[in-house]
Amino acid sequence: MNIFDKFKETVMSVVPVMAVVIILTLIDRTLVGRTGHGVDLLHFCVGGLLVIIGLTYFLMGVDTGIIPIGERSGAALTSKKNLGLLLSVSFAIGVIVTIAEPDVQVLAKNIGSISPAVNQWPLVIMIALGVGFFVMLGLARTVLSLKLRRILLIAYMLLFALAFSCPEFLQGAAFDAGGATTGPMTVPFIMALGMGVASVRAGKNSGDDASFGLTGIASIGPIAAVCIYGIIISSRLCDSSQGAIDPSLIDSTNSEAAEIAIGLEIFIRHVPQVIKDVFYALMPLLAMFVIFQVTLLKMPPVQLKKMFRGVMWCFAGLILFLTGAEAGFMPAGLALGTTLGSNAFILGGFWKFLIVASAFVLGGITVCAEPAVWVLTQQVEEASGGTIRRKTLLVSLAAGIAFSIGLSVLRILYGFSLWYILIPGYALALLLTFVCPPLFTGIAFDSGGVASGPMTSTFILSYTMGIAQSSPDKCSDPFGVIALVAMTPLIAIQILGIIYRIKTRRQK
């Protein structure tokens, strides 16, 4: 697919988000008469243009650079037929990539605002170790041909036991960590690594869930890590620290993006930090590839040049994408959520319906602009030989994410516990693994990780944060949005798999 096709797909994904925000802003200004504040449509439109261009180049770079590097590295490691080497290297890859992921740094800093007993870097190291361990476990499952269902059942039973033992104010943040670690650079590389291992693995069932499920397993690690960290520091916590959640889920570099700047200087201010974040995210991957090239791959210069060009496209695309998302989409989401939330809490009635309906619509269309979602759906379509179409997966993902964002807003408006959603939701997802085709189970649990990417963590999260900040008591729990975004695709995609199986049987 050439760059013009990628651009067309990106425009069709991002423009609906922009259209809904503009319509909601005009409704608010018309009915309430707000002037001089709220969503700055100029900044938002410029940010949308940067997101479209950046996402186009990023997806081109992933196709030609990141995915080939991951697949060749995984295949080369597996071909050595040394399980110890594969597992040790995969553990190191999981740790290094997680530490380099910008979203992890932001999440750890925001969790640290809950209590002085929570330290940022020890928490980052714990999360990285958790991801590394579960990446290693996921690849061992692929090589040894273990059933994904058994791994998930055991892992989630232990996970919920840890969660209930964890301090209450860290529980929502722990499940949010599962989505924050699967960023735009981590997901393509880990997925490609898993597919490379699956392509040369020994054993039977080559057509089942072997190629998918690694990202889903890896996303369990950070949840368990935060819970374990909470249990370790629980003795140092005092009652006064619990529930003292900083209402801003946005770090210091992003908080200034919530201000309406004069002109377009806000975009220029974001560029240096974004370049730094993208550089740190790419360098560990490039360093690992250089080591693999020297010791295992030894590819010819022509292939190396093509992959390097792809990585450079990723670098430029991510800079443009994140600059537009953080400087244009994030302040727009925060302003829109604050204004609509204020109307909902004060006026009720129509405004509560509007804010829940808008959350449902925004959730459904925003997921289509996630970079990792495009990577996943393309890999699924290719791995299935076109029998599982990208558009079908996108529709199922959009329905699941729309439902999760709507639930998140309802939870903020009425203040019920996150466990009322998580426990039955994960129970249903695990029960569906017994009747869903294994391939769709792997895709579903991968989808839970990829759906919570930079668009969700910037625009949607800032939108729900604005609603929470507009509540009268200012103490609505801001954590849990990413957790719900990561959960609902597990159900939606598995239901799609069951429908797919029924249709296949009828055709036969």
Side-chain angles (χ1 to χ4, degrees):
M1 182 179 291
N2 59 40
I3 192 169
F4 296 104
D5 293 330
K6 292 286 187 185
F7 180 78
K8 180 180 178 181
E9 290 183 350
T10 304
V11 168
M12 294 178 66
S13 300
V14 177
V15 168
V17 180
M18 301 176 65
V20 172
V21 173
I22 292 173
I23 291 172
L24 290 174
T25 302
L26 294 178
I27 290 175
D28 177 66
R29 292 180 180 178
T30 301
L31 297 182
V32 183
R34 299 182 189 274
T35 57
H37 62 281
V39 178
D40 190 307
L41 293 180
L42 173 62
H43 288 165
F44 180 68
C45 291
V46 172
L49 180 62
L50 292 176
V51 165
I52 291 172
I53 298 173
L55 184 56
T56 301
Y57 278 100
F58 172 77
L59 293 175
M60 288 294 296
V62 166
D63 287 346
T64 58
I66 300 301
I67 290 179
I69 290 175
E71 289 181 347
R72 290 176 182 270
S73 301
L77 285 170
T78 310
S79 64
K80 292 296 181 180
K81 297 182 180 180
N82 187 332
L83 185 59
L85 174 65
L86 173 64
L87 297 184
S88 58
V89 172
S90 63
F91 176 81
I93 289 174
V95 172
I96 293 173
V97 172
T98 303
I99 292 177
E101 184 66 56
D103 289 346
V104 176
Q105 308 287 342
V106 175
L107 179 71
K109 185 181 297 184
N110 291 319
I111 295 177
S113 67
I114 299 174
S115 168
V118 179
N119 297 317
Q120 178 183 348
W121 276 106
L123 182 57
V124 169
I125 298 300
M126 283 289 294
I127 292 175
L129 292 174
V131 173
F133 176 79
F134 276 87
V135 167
M136 181 178 66
L137 178 64
L139 289 180
R141 176 199 76 87
T142 302
V143 173
L144 299 176
S145 301
L146 301 177
K147 291 293 185 182
L148 177 61
R149 180 200 309 152
R150 296 175 183 175
I151 301 293
L152 293 174
L153 286 172
I154 296 173
Y156 274 101
M157 287 175 63
L158 295 175
L159 184 64
F160 274 92
L162 287 173
F164 282 113
S165 302
C166 174
E168 184 177 353
F169 69 93
L170 275 177
Q171 292 171 352
F175 279 88
D176 279 350
T181 53
T182 48
M185 291 306 305
T186 307
V187 169
F189 189 83
I190 288 181
M191 287 181 61
L193 182 68
M195 295 187 73
V197 172
S199 66
V200 295
R201 75 182 179 93
K204 302 178 180 180
N205 301 325
S206 59
D208 63 3
D209 59 348
S211 299
F212 300 98
L214 180 58
T215 304
I217 293 176
S219 63
I220 299 174
I223 307 175
V226 174
C227 291
I228 293 173
Y229 181 81
I231 294 171
I232 293 173
I233 68 169
S234 59
S235 59
R236 291 184 281 150
L237 297 176
C238 59
D239 293 336
S240 60
S241 68
Q242 298 186 15
I245 299 175
D246 188 341
S248 177
L249 254 180
I250 307 168
D251 73 343
S252 58
T253 62
N254 293 330
S255 60
E256 62 182 29
E259 303 173 1
I260 303 300
I262 299 176
L264 301 177
E265 295 178 359
I266 189 171
F267 294 96
I268 299 175
R269 292 205 304 268
H270 271 75
V271 170
Q273 182 62 40
V274 170
I275 292 176
K276 181 180 177 181
D277 291 341
V278 174
F279 178 81
Y280 285 153
L282 276 174
M283 284 306 102
L285 301 181
L286 285 178
M288 286 186 292
F289 176 66
V290 170
I291 295 173
F292 289 155
Q293 168 65 14
V294 173
T295 58
L296 294 173
L297 302 178
K298 300 179 181 179
M299 293 185 299
V302 175
Q303 292 181 344
L304 287 177
K305 183 178 179 180
K306 181 179 180 182
M307 289 185 181
F308 180 77
R309 184 168 61 248
V311 172
M312 291 299 99
W313 281 349
C314 281
F315 184 79
L318 267 183
I319 291 173
L320 293 173
F321 179 90
L322 292 176
T323 300
E326 294 180 6
F329 274 40
M330 181 177 288
L334 188 63
L336 184 63
T338 302
T339 55
L340 295 182
S342 299
N343 295 338
F345 282 110
I346 296 174
L347 304 176
F350 166 77
W351 289 102
K352 283 192 174 182
F353 169 79
L354 178 64
I355 200 170
V356 174
S358 64
F360 187 90
V361 173
L362 286 171
I365 60 179
T366 300
V367 70
C368 296
E370 288 286 6
V373 168
W374 285 95
V375 176
L376 172 68
T377 53
Q378 178 178 338
Q379 289 186 342
V380 170
E381 189 173 58
E382 292 175 355
S384 64
T387 56
I388 305 174
R389 295 186 177 182
R390 166 185 283 186
K391 291 183 179 180
T392 305
L393 277 176
L394 282 174
V395 170
S396 300
L397 274 174
I401 302 305
F403 187 70
S404 67
I405 301 301
L407 278 178
S408 299
V409 172
L410 282 174
R411 177 173 168 265
I412 293 173
L413 291 177
Y414 296 101
F416 53 86
S417 173
L418 181 65
W419 290 114
Y420 293 165
I421 307 173
L422 287 183
I423 292 178
Y426 274 103
L428 176 59
L430 293 174
L431 286 174
L432 287 174
T433 62
F434 289 93
V435 294
C436 177
L439 174 61
F440 280 89
T441 297
I443 296 171
F445 280 83
D446 279 350
S447 302
V450 304
S452 49
M455 283 296 290
T456 303
S457 60
T458 53
F459 179 73
I460 293 296
L461 187 56
S462 61
Y463 177 68
T464 54
M465 279 300 306
I467 299 173
Q469 291 182 26
S470 63
S471 64
D473 53 7
K474 303 288 183 182
C475 64
S476 295
D477 184 3
F479 295 109
V481 175
I482 299 177
L484 296 182
V485 169
M487 182 194 72
T488 48
L490 313 184
I491 301 171
I493 299 299
Q494 289 193 96
I495 292 175
L496 173 65
I498 295 171
I499 296 173
Y500 179 83
R501 169 179 282 179
I502 294 173
K503 287 186 175 181
T504 303
R505 288 178 177 177
R506 287 180 179 178
Q507 290 175 356
K508 290 182 179 179

